C-alpha cells in the first residue's frame, strides 16, 4: 500500500457502548475504513471523559462505567477520508 506524503486525520468521539447492527460502532468503522483501503486506523479507549450531557464516565474501580469514551483516529488523504464519511 502506498502511504500518502501528506495525510489528514479524522478523529471520531463515541461511547464504548455505541453499536451499529449488533457490533461495536468502533469496530464497524475500522472495518469499513479497512475495506475502503484507508492508510490507517486506531481505536483509543479513554479512562475518563464527558460529553454533551456533562455526565462524567470513568474507569475507577468504585465507579466502573460501562460506557467509557472511545476515540477513533483515521488517517489518509482528504479524498480517501471523504469516501468513508457517507457511512
Amino acid at each position: 500500500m502506498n502511504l500518502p506524503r501528506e495525510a489528514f486525520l479524522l478523529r471520531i468521539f463515541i461511547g464504548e457502548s455505541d453499536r451499529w447492527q449488533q457490533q461495536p460502532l468502533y469496530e464497524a468503522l475500522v472495518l469499513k475504513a479497512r475495506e475502503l483501503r484507508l492508510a490507517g486506523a486506531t481505536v483509543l479507549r479513554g479512562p475518563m471523559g464527558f460529553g454533551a450531557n456533562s455526565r462524567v464516565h470513568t474507569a475507577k474501580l468504585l465507579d466502573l462505567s460501562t460506557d467509557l469514551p472511545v476515540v477513533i483516529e483515521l488517517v489518509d488523504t482528504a479524498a480517501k477520508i471523504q469516501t468513508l464519511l457517507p457511512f
Side-chain angles (χ1 to χ4, degrees):
M1 173 184 299
N2 287 335
L3 297 177
R5 287 193 94 188
E6 286 191 29
F8 285 81
L9 172 68
L10 172 62
R11 189 174 287 150
I12 303 169
F13 296 87
I14 62 171
E16 188 175 33
S17 65
D18 292 339
R19 301 187 81 67
W20 185 76
Q21 294 188 350
Q22 300 182 6
Q23 83 181 113
L25 180 57
Y26 62 85
E27 185 176 310
L29 287 168
V30 169
L31 292 176
K32 179 51 86 172
R34 185 168 179 244
E35 178 184 316
L36 295 172
R37 302 182 60 85
L38 269 66
T42 301
V43 177
L44 307 163
R45 185 174 186 233
M48 187 174 190
F50 69 91
N53 67 6
S54 295
R55 198 171 108 233
V56 174
H57 301 269
T58 181
K60 291 182 181 177
L61 270 182
L62 297 176
D63 186 26
L64 193 59
S65 175
T66 58
D67 192 24
L68 292 172
V70 172
V71 179
I72 306 157
E73 295 186 336
L74 303 158
V75 178
D76 209 314
T77 63
K80 288 286 283 207
I81 287 177
Q82 287 291 328
T83 65
L84 179 71
L85 295 182
F87 300 99

